[in-house]
Amino acid sequence: MTTEQNPDSSQVNQSGNFGIGVMTGGTIEAGAVVAGQYNVIHQPKVEPKPIPSNVRQGSKNYVEREEDALTEIREKLEVDQGVIVCAVEGMGGVGKTELALQYAAKYKADYEAQYFLSLREMGLAQAVVTLANPFIDLPEAMQSAPLNEQAEWYWKNWLPETGKLLLILDDVPNADSIPDLAMPFDPRMQVLITTRERDLNLGFESLSLKVLSEEKTLELLQKIVGQGKVEKELATVKEICETVGYLPLGLELVGEYLVKNRHLNFAKLQERLTLADEALSQDRSHKFYGYRGVAAAIQLSWDDLSGGSQRVAMWLGLFAPVEILWDLAADLAKNADITAAELDGARGELDRLHLISPTDEECAFYEIHSLVREFMGVKLSEAMENQQFRQGFVTGLLDIAKSMPQAPTLEKIAAVKPAIPHLELLSREMLGDIENPGEDSNLGWAFGGIARFYEGQGLYALAEYPWQKCVEKTREILGDRHPDVAISMNNLAALYESQGKYEAAEPLYRQALEILMSAVGENHPHTQIVMNSLLMLKLHIATGLDEKGLEQMMQDNPDALRQLFQQIMSE
C-alpha cells in the first residue's frame, strides 16, 4: 500500500491540470487530474445502459409443495397497491432461494425486469449501488453522499419507465440489512425476500416455508433417479427421506450420489448414510437431526471424491459465500500448489455430485450452498493443508489488491470485481493469516485494494469504510507508531480531502506526519508526501477553492498562487 499523493509547489503548472509530486520517480497518467489526492481517470462518457435482469435459472428438479407456495407468493404480492414485500422464511436447506427463482421463472412474462440481490455479504444499499454503478454513473454531487441516499438516487433513475418490476433480496440476515431508506419506493416494484429470520419485519407479508412432505420428497427423488428405482425400495427410501430431514438439499445430494453410483441400491445407501452420521455425530450432536442427515449425505459424496477433488473442495470452501468465478479460483490455487489436473477433475466431480452448481450457461461462475461450504471448511480445518491453503489464498488476494493502481481503468475495475467479495472476507476474517503483515504494507493492502476499487468508480461512500478499518487494524496489529498506521491515516485523509471534508482530513494528516517524522525521519519519501499533502490542504482552506478553482487560479494568477504556497510552506 502506498501513500496517496498531492502536488508539490514545483509542479503547479499552467496546463489546467495539477501534476503529482511523486517523490519516488513515478509519473501521472496522461489525461488524469487530481481530485484531492486521488487520480481519477476520466473515462469516455457513455450513455446510461438499461440494467438487464439478472435472475438465474432454477433447478430442473424442483417440485412444488402441496400448499402451492408459488401461488401463495403471487397472492401476497398482489394483495394491495404500492411496494409490496413478501418474506419467505425458513431454515437453511429448505429451498427458499430455489422457490424465489422458480417464482421469477413462472411469472417472468408479467414483469418488465427482474433483479436478484444477495444480501448474505452486504447490506441492501451497497448491493444496489454495486449493481447499478457499472450502468449509470452517480452524479458528482452524489459521490460523497451516504450509501442509503445513493441507493435512493439509483432507485429514482435506473428503473424501466413502464411495467411491473420484481426485486428478489436473497438470504437477508436481519432487518438492519434492509433499512427503509435503501428500499425501493416505486409502486410498480414487488419485493420477494428470503431469510432464515422469523418475523423479519411485521409490516411484510410472510410465508413460512417448511420441509417437504413425504409425498413431495418421493416425487423429488423420482425426478432425479427414476420412478422405478424409488418404488422398488419404497420403505427404505422413506427412511432416507427422514434421515435427511425432508430437506431438498439433502435429497438432491443423495439423489445425485445414486446417479453417479448407479450400481448402488437405496438399502446400501442407507447403510452408508448411517455410518457417515455416526462418524459425524460426535461433533454435531447439537445439530438439528435433519442437518446431521444432510452432513451425512455430504460426507457420502465426499468419500466418493478423488484426493485431488477433495483438495479443491477444501480450497473452494475458503471463498466468500457468493458466486465464485472459476478462473479466479483456479488462478489463486497456484499459490496453494493445486495442479491444473486436480482443478479440471474436481470441476466435473463436484458439479456431478451437486457440491457446487454453475450459475450461468457458460459455467464460468459457481455457487456453494452454505451448509456444503460449512462442511468444506470443517474438512479444511482438520487437514494438513489448512495453513498452506489459507496463506496461499491470502497471498493471492493481496497480489490482486496490490495490482490496483490509484486510477484504475474500467477494464481493470471489471477484471478485479470478482475478487472483491473475497478480499472483503479476508479483511474481516483472515488478517491473522497474512504472513509478515508489517512488511511491504501487506496488512494495509487487505483494505487498500478494496478502497481503490471503489474510489476508481467515484464510490467514495463505499471506499471510506475499508480505509477506516485500515487505520483501526494497522494500529491494533502493528502498533500506534508503525509507519503503515501513518500511511493508512494519510489515505483516509486523502479520501476526505477529495470530497472537500477538510476538517476531517487535517487532523489525520497531522497525526500521520507526526508518526512518520518519528519513525522514518523528515527526508523519507513518505514523510515528504504527507507533508506536501498537508500543505496542499492548507492551500485549499486558505483560498476556499476546490481543485477546479485552484486550477483556474493557476491560469488567471499563477504568481499569487505560488506566493501563497510559499507563505504556507514557511509557517
Side-chain angles (χ1 to χ4, degrees):
M1 185 179 61
T2 58
T3 47
E4 312 296 350
Q5 303 161 55
N6 245 338
D8 69 10
S9 58
S10 65
Q11 292 167 303
V12 179
N13 55 57
Q14 301 182 53
S15 65
N17 293 333
F18 279 85
I20 281 263
V22 183
M23 301 301 177
T24 53
T27 56
I28 185 170
E29 291 111 319
V33 299
V34 180
Q37 292 182 326
Y38 288 93
N39 300 341
V40 179
I41 295 295
H42 284 218
Q43 304 288 355
K45 205 65 178 172
V46 295
E47 289 299 316
K49 307 173 187 174
I51 301 178
S53 298
N54 68 337
V55 180
R56 67 178 186 273
Q57 291 296 314
S59 171
K60 63 182 185 299
N61 296 323
Y62 175 78
V63 296
E64 179 59 287
R65 289 163 163 78
E66 285 90 345
E67 60 271 25
D68 192 2
L70 295 179
T71 299
E72 187 173 352
I73 291 173
R74 180 68 167 177
E75 291 172 351
K76 289 180 180 296
L77 288 176
E78 298 285 348
V79 71
D80 204 351
Q81 298 297 315
V83 178
I84 306 299
V85 181
C86 176
V88 178
E89 306 166 351
M91 69 177 70
V94 79
K96 302 181 297 296
T97 300
E98 186 60 42
L99 182 66
L101 296 177
Q102 295 293 335
Y103 176 85
K106 181 173 182 178
Y107 297 104
K108 183 176 181 179
D110 293 347
Y111 295 99
E112 184 69 21
Q114 299 177 331
Y115 302 107
F116 183 99
L117 297 176
S118 174
L119 301 191
R120 197 177 314 169
E121 289 291 289
M122 64 178 70
L124 174 58
Q126 181 177 351
V128 170
V129 173
T130 302
L131 172 67
N133 184 256
F135 299 92
I136 303 177
D137 291 332
L138 272 172
E140 186 174 346
M142 289 296 301
Q143 291 177 358
S144 301
L147 270 179
N148 287 340
E149 292 181 18
Q150 292 183 357
E152 180 183 11
W153 185 89
Y154 273 122
W155 285 131
K156 289 179 180 177
N157 289 278
W158 64 269
L159 297 177
E161 293 182 1
T162 60
K164 284 200 306 185
L165 307 164
L166 176 67
L167 174 66
I168 297 175
L169 303 179
D170 186 51
D171 208 357
V172 176
N174 51 57
D176 291 341
S177 298
I178 49 172
D180 290 343
L181 289 175
M183 289 287 280
F185 46 82
D186 191 314
R188 298 174 297 144
M189 182 72 76
Q190 297 180 344
V191 183
L192 181 55
I193 289 174
T194 72
T195 180
R196 299 187 188 190
E197 290 288 302
R198 182 173 297 176
D199 298 326
L200 181 71
N201 186 314
L202 295 179
F204 295 167
E205 297 288 326
S206 64
L207 184 156
S208 181
L209 199 62
K210 309 298 184 184
V211 298
L212 294 176
S213 67
E214 182 181 272
E215 179 183 350
K216 290 299 180 179
T217 58
L218 296 175
E219 182 182 340
L220 176 55
L221 282 174
Q222 288 172 356
K223 277 194 168 187
I224 300 173
V225 303
Q227 183 176 353
K229 192 162 188 171
V230 170
E231 291 181 347
K232 187 176 181 179
E233 300 178 83
L234 190 58
T236 303
V237 174
K238 290 180 178 180
E239 291 178 8
I240 290 174
C241 292
E242 183 178 0
T243 297
V244 298
Y246 303 99
L247 291 170
L249 172 64
L251 293 162
E252 287 196 285
L253 286 168
V254 297
E256 298 295 344
Y257 180 82
L258 277 179
V259 169
K260 184 182 178 186
N261 298 275
R262 298 202 292 185
H263 61 285
L264 290 180
N265 57 25
F266 279 101
K268 193 67 176 177
L269 174 65
Q270 177 68 325
E271 290 178 16
R272 294 189 179 187
L273 276 173
T274 301
L275 290 173
D277 179 61
E278 289 173 355
L280 292 168
S281 60
Q282 183 175 355
D283 296 327
R284 297 171 178 249
S285 57
H286 63 285
K287 294 273 188 179
F288 162 59
Y289 180 71
Y291 281 172
R292 284 177 47 188
V294 170
I298 300 172
Q299 181 68 52
L300 283 188
S301 298
W302 183 266
D303 292 338
D304 220 37
L305 294 173
S306 65
S309 293
Q310 288 181 352
R311 280 165 47 84
V312 173
M314 291 188 295
W315 173 251
L316 294 174
L318 285 168
F319 286 77
V322 298
E323 294 181 354
I324 301 169
L325 177 65
W326 184 266
D327 286 348
L328 172 67
D331 189 56
L332 293 179
K334 298 170 186 174
N335 296 287
D337 294 329
I338 296 174
T339 67
E342 287 176 322
L343 287 161
D344 289 343
R347 192 174 189 174
E349 276 196 86
L350 295 171
D351 187 3
R352 284 191 294 274
L353 287 170
H354 208 65
L355 295 175
I356 63 174
S357 303
T359 61
D360 61 326
E361 293 182 0
E362 293 76 23
C363 296
F365 288 86
Y366 290 82
E367 66 174 357
I368 305 173
H369 193 281
S370 58
L371 297 180
V372 177
R373 179 177 179 269
E374 177 186 339
F375 182 95
M376 292 173 173
V378 170
K379 288 295 183 184
L380 178 60
S381 69
E382 299 168 348
M384 60 182 295
E385 295 97 337
N386 186 30
Q387 183 176 8
Q388 176 194 13
F389 279 17
R390 291 178 69 88
Q391 290 184 347
F393 180 76
V394 166
T395 298
L397 285 172
L398 289 181
D399 287 342
I400 293 175
K402 292 175 183 180
S403 75
M404 283 295 290
Q406 276 181 245
T409 62
L410 291 176
E411 292 76 15
K412 183 65 176 178
I413 289 169
V416 170
K417 184 177 181 179
I420 294 300
H422 313 295
L423 264 171
E424 291 175 331
L425 177 141
L426 186 166
S427 70
R428 289 194 310 270
E429 302 177 13
M430 301 183 71
L431 296 181
D433 294 293
I434 298 177
E435 293 186 279
N436 305 315
E439 294 182 11
D440 196 27
S441 295
N442 284 329
L443 178 59
W445 276 114
F447 304 93
I450 302 166
R452 283 188 169 186
F453 171 79
Y454 290 124
E455 287 163 18
Q457 302 172 75
L459 299 176
Y460 300 131
L462 288 175
E464 181 177 0
Y465 180 76
W467 278 140
Q468 289 175 334
K469 294 299 290 185
C470 190
V471 173
E472 175 188 329
K473 291 301 180 180
T474 51
R475 267 181 164 163
E476 178 184 316
I477 296 172
L478 303 178
D480 289 342
R481 310 300 294 175
H482 195 281
D484 281 2
V485 175
I487 293 173
S488 301
M489 288 177 171
N490 173 83
N491 293 339
L492 178 58
L495 177 66
Y496 288 146
E497 185 180 355
S498 70
Q499 302 170 77
K501 299 177 180 178
Y502 301 148
E503 290 183 1
E506 184 171 358
L508 287 166
Y509 279 140
R510 290 187 179 279
Q511 292 177 66
L513 182 59
E514 192 271 328
I515 292 171
L516 289 172
M517 291 283 281
S518 172
V520 297
E522 180 178 354
N523 295 322
H524 191 279
H526 287 166
T527 308
Q528 291 291 308
I529 289 170
V530 176
M531 190 179 298
N532 286 339
S533 298
L534 182 57
L535 289 170
M536 285 302 298
L537 178 66
K538 288 183 175 181
L539 187 60
H540 286 301
I541 295 172
T543 62
L545 299 175
D546 60 12
E547 294 298 337
K548 291 181 179 179
L550 287 176
E551 290 178 6
Q552 189 63 47
M553 185 177 179
M554 187 69 252
Q555 292 179 359
D556 298 340
N557 198 346
D559 291 337
L561 182 58
R562 289 194 182 96
Q563 183 178 0
L564 180 57
F565 200 97
Q566 290 168 0
Q567 178 183 337
I568 291 173
M569 289 181 67
S570 66
E571 292 177 356

